[in-house]
Amino acid sequence: MKGNKLLVAGLALAMVTSATACSKTSTENEGASSSSPAASSAAPSLDPFGKYNEPVTIRLVRTLDPNAKFDEGKSIENNDFIDEIKKQFNIDVKYDWISSPTDWNQKISLAISSNNLPDAFFVNLTQLKTLEKYDAIADLTDVFNTSGSDILKDFYKSGGEMLKNLVEEDGKLMAIPAPVPKASGMSEMWIRQDWLDKLGLKPPKNIEELKTVAKAFIEQDPDGNGKKDTIGIVGPSKSGLLSGTDGNLYGLDPIFAAHKSFPLYWLKDSSGKLVYGSTQPETKQALQTLADMYKQGLIDKDMLVRDDSLQPILDEKAGIFFGPWWTGYVLLDVYKKSPAPDWQAYAYPQADDGKYYAHMAAPANQFLVVNKKYKNPEAALKIINLLLRDEPEWVASGLGKNPGTGGAYPLYTVFDNLDEIEVSYDMLNKYLNGQTDINSMDFSTHKLLKDDMNAIKKLKKEPFDNFSINHWDLEGGGDLIQTNLPRLVSIMVGDRPLSTDKNIEEVYSLYYGQTETMASRWANLQKLEKEAFAKIIMGVAPVDSFDDFVDMWNKQGGDKILKEVADITE
């Protein structure tokens, strides 16, 4: 894992109490729990969908939405999904505890620190690394190879080396990751194409062109109401982020990236030294540019003050904002207007070398782990295998309709291919142009694609290579406008840059975990950073105050965190 230039998962924070609790053998728990080797006498059934001859018990934990509605006589502990698992595998699912979603992290962290672990459970990256440190979870290498279904293996394979680096330690697979589409980590420029066309402008490729277009959107009355009341670039609301580590709706991430600045990311500088992106000279340069643009009125003067940055977009008063591929969902109410504003997405602005630098999120944030003491780790994989194979049939048949798989299925989480959205973009284009047939498709790892294909044939008008909002059937689309159009626009417009642009440079953080010092210092350091950046951009503090911020960041724990991350990644 060490030495990878793109991605190294960090050794996470160890809870204060877990140093003793997890490092010793808990004789009190052994013998009574199903996690004890003596607790199960069933011989392993290693086939991914094989049934045990004798009952096998697996003890789990789960969240339960307080508003979830079950069919009469059913509950989180007694429902169709648990019955199906019993029928298919002879596995008895029992719960050690059930929590509300808001209490989950606290409950799972307490279970880890007290060494009172269920047989299998999902954790985040920080929790995974804590469990690895205290040798509390099973090596799943052999179990995955023998009992992982082909579908599950395909999801894992889609993540490549980046995903492997998160979950493999010295060649051992310590967790089964649930990959997330890489498109979700990339922010891009969304712009009113109809305003560009009206003013005779082209999409701005670089910072200077962005300034020119934003100025035109403010001064040349693109909405045609005779008033100077339009906004060039919308920024984050008062609860938003100037820059993030995932798809950051309304953030200014692409403007930072055009300066090769990546706040919040752990990177190597030109000399190979580990650095924190927020404290680098490139970030100071980006803040200078943003301060100039804000002073000139090119960025919404109410940035970081507005309650909701969507409002000026709904009011058709804004021309540009930044957001991820799924922004089509956010724009649903915009598409109900007549005529509908034509928002298009681009991988702009580019840096001075002509590349668009896209910061990427971690390839997974949920990980299935198995208690090292549990004798039948393959049982956890079987439960996942069944979900991945049969969920589409359950949905179609109405099995467990209330509250559905997400609300009631044990060990539920969403699995996606890392390139899921790019594959969907490619397949939908081919389908529209008659290059592939829906009956020849394998939807086993693309569970939404069939519905996408059916819907796009009903909603998309010719020409099929033009995804302007004018070429969608907004009048006769019926319910599909509400249920399917936002996703289709998100894919065909929002993911088009990542699928087709050859000048995109994907940038991953070297570290996505939490160090020991972060536990006590990170919240204050983040507050310091947010306030310093906001003051500089909005003209409350000079750009040179950035140097004071860097000095304070280092003195207040940043230098120690840098050393901890360097020790992990080098």
Side-chain angles (χ1 to χ4, degrees):
M1 181 164 67
K2 295 181 180 179
N4 184 280
K5 293 184 178 180
L6 291 177
L7 178 66
V8 177
L11 177 65
L13 167 70
M15 291 82 169
V16 174
T17 57
S18 63
T20 56
C22 287
S23 60
K24 66 180 182 178
T25 301
S26 179
T27 56
E28 297 90 341
N29 290 336
E30 290 188 9
S33 169
S34 63
S35 297
S36 170
S40 173
S41 60
S45 175
L46 299 180
D47 181 272
F49 294 96
K51 187 174 183 178
Y52 294 102
N53 292 327
E54 299 293 331
V56 167
T57 297
I58 186 168
R59 304 202 67 87
L60 305 175
V61 292
R62 202 189 190 286
T63 60
L64 176 61
D65 186 338
N67 298 314
K69 302 294 184 183
F70 286 86
D71 291 329
E72 186 175 354
K74 302 295 183 179
S75 68
I76 192 67
E77 296 171 301
N78 173 28
N79 57 64
D80 291 341
F81 303 119
I82 288 179
D83 293 344
E84 193 70 11
I85 291 168
K86 175 67 174 179
K87 174 184 173 182
Q88 295 283 344
F89 301 127
N90 205 8
I91 295 174
D92 294 315
V93 173
K94 304 295 182 184
Y95 287 109
D96 284 351
W97 49 261
I98 296 164
S99 79
S100 69
T102 54
D103 293 336
W104 170 260
N105 276 330
Q106 181 180 6
K107 291 276 288 184
I108 204 71
S109 294
L110 180 61
I112 294 171
S113 64
S114 63
N115 195 27
N116 188 19
L117 303 177
D119 294 331
F121 52 111
F122 278 100
V123 295
N124 61 32
L125 183 60
T126 296
Q127 293 157 345
L128 169 61
K129 295 305 170 181
T130 298
L131 289 163
E132 286 181 14
K133 180 175 181 179
Y134 289 102
D135 194 26
I137 51 177
D139 172 5
L140 298 177
T141 308
D142 292 339
V143 174
F144 183 70
N145 289 334
T146 56
S147 301
S149 67
D150 290 342
I151 297 175
L152 182 60
K153 290 176 180 177
D154 284 343
F155 280 126
Y156 184 56
K157 189 184 302 180
S158 77
E161 289 298 313
M162 293 176 293
L163 192 60
K164 287 176 63 176
N165 286 332
L166 285 180
V167 294
E168 293 193 9
E169 186 71 33
D170 298 327
K172 298 177 182 179
L173 180 64
M174 302 308 298
I176 308 299
V180 295
K182 70 175 182 179
S184 297
M186 173 180 162
S187 292
E188 55 206 358
M189 181 184 74
W190 289 76
I191 191 166
R192 284 286 298 266
Q193 186 69 43
D194 49 329
W195 283 13
L196 288 173
D197 295 342
K198 180 178 181 178
L199 301 181
L201 299 170
K202 294 182 179 180
K205 288 188 175 183
N206 54 47
I207 292 293
E208 290 308 311
E209 291 179 6
L210 178 63
K211 292 178 181 178
T212 298
V213 170
K215 185 176 182 181
F217 282 176
I218 294 168
E219 297 181 350
Q220 296 183 30
D221 191 26
D223 63 350
N225 69 349
K227 300 178 182 179
K228 195 174 179 181
D229 59 354
T230 46
I231 297 168
I233 301 170
V234 175
S237 67
K238 62 184 179 183
S239 62
L241 298 173
L242 290 166
S243 187
T245 58
D246 205 336
N248 184 25
L249 186 61
Y250 310 124
L252 303 176
D253 310 59
I255 298 180
F256 281 98
H259 293 79
K260 300 179 185 178
S261 163
F262 306 98
L264 306 175
Y265 273 52
W266 304 94
L267 309 160
K268 291 288 182 69
D269 66 12
S270 57
S271 68
K273 178 184 176 183
L274 183 89
V275 296
Y276 180 54
S278 300
T279 61
Q280 297 311 293
E282 292 83 359
T283 299
K284 183 178 182 180
Q285 295 167 7
L287 290 171
Q288 176 71 73
T289 295
L290 288 165
D292 292 342
M293 294 175 69
Y294 185 86
K295 184 177 181 179
Q296 295 169 34
L298 306 181
I299 300 174
D300 181 18
K301 63 179 177 61
D302 290 329
M303 177 186 75
L304 299 177
V305 176
R306 289 186 183 277
D307 290 328
D308 185 3
S309 294
L310 178 61
Q311 196 57 53
I313 296 168
L314 293 178
D315 294 340
E316 298 187 54
K317 294 301 179 184
I320 302 168
F321 67 94
F322 301 101
W325 75 276
W326 45 259
T327 294
Y329 288 94
V330 178
L331 296 175
L332 173 60
D333 287 340
V334 172
Y335 298 137
K336 296 177 182 177
K337 296 178 179 291
S338 182
D342 188 17
W343 287 96
Q344 296 294 310
Y346 296 90
Y348 299 151
Q350 299 170 343
D352 54 12
D353 59 6
K355 293 182 179 181
Y356 181 84
Y357 289 85
H359 70 52
M360 311 303 288
N365 49 45
Q366 287 289 301
F367 307 88
L368 174 69
V369 295
V370 177
N371 191 325
K372 191 174 183 178
K373 300 174 186 176
Y374 185 48
K375 185 177 180 180
N376 296 104
E378 73 285 343
L381 271 69
K382 289 176 183 289
I383 292 173
I384 298 297
N385 292 342
L386 189 66
L387 172 70
L388 297 181
R389 188 190 71 178
D390 290 357
E391 185 180 16
E393 295 180 11
W394 296 337
V395 172
S397 68
L399 178 76
K401 182 178 179 181
N402 294 315
T405 50
Y409 192 83
L411 293 179
Y412 180 86
T413 196
V414 176
F415 284 77
D416 271 309
N417 293 294
L418 209 69
D419 60 352
E420 178 70 25
I421 312 304
E422 290 72 67
V423 169
S424 296
Y425 176 88
D426 182 51
M427 288 296 102
L428 290 173
N429 267 304
K430 289 179 177 177
Y431 182 55
L432 283 174
N433 291 293
Q435 296 172 272
T436 190
D437 183 81
I438 195 169
N439 296 317
S440 64
M441 293 291 299
D442 177 9
F443 297 108
S444 61
T445 58
H446 306 286
K447 62 182 180 180
L448 299 180
L449 184 54
K450 187 174 184 179
D451 189 49
D452 291 338
M453 294 172 81
N454 285 324
I456 202 168
K457 270 295 180 73
K458 297 174 182 177
L459 285 173
K460 186 67 182 73
K461 299 189 298 186
E462 294 190 73
F464 293 139
D465 61 349
N466 186 327
F467 293 96
S468 164
I469 198 63
N470 301 314
H471 300 300
W472 297 84
D473 186 1
L474 302 182
E475 299 295 328
D479 292 342
L480 294 178
I481 301 298
Q482 184 79 24
T483 59
N484 292 76
L485 181 68
R487 174 173 168 82
L488 292 174
V489 170
S490 292
I491 295 172
M492 307 312 293
V493 176
D495 194 64
R496 178 178 54 201
L498 187 56
S499 292
T500 63
D501 199 311
K502 305 302 181 184
N503 294 323
I504 294 178
E505 189 80 16
E506 297 175 4
V507 178
Y508 287 85
S509 180
L510 294 175
Y511 175 67
Y512 290 99
Q514 187 180 37
T515 71
E516 185 174 357
T517 302
M518 282 183 179
S520 57
R521 302 290 182 88
W522 196 242
N524 287 335
L525 288 173
Q526 287 293 282
K527 183 174 183 290
L528 175 68
E529 180 175 325
K530 291 175 184 177
E531 291 179 353
F533 286 15
K535 288 178 179 179
I536 291 172
I537 293 172
M538 302 177 83
V540 177
V543 174
D544 283 342
S545 67
F546 176 82
D547 301 327
D548 297 327
F549 152 70
V550 173
D551 184 57
M552 286 188 287
W553 187 88
N554 283 311
K555 290 180 178 178
Q556 294 181 21
D559 54 354
K560 189 173 182 180
I561 293 172
L562 264 172
K563 185 179 185 306
E564 290 172 347
V565 176
D567 289 343
I568 294 164
T569 59
E570 292 175 356

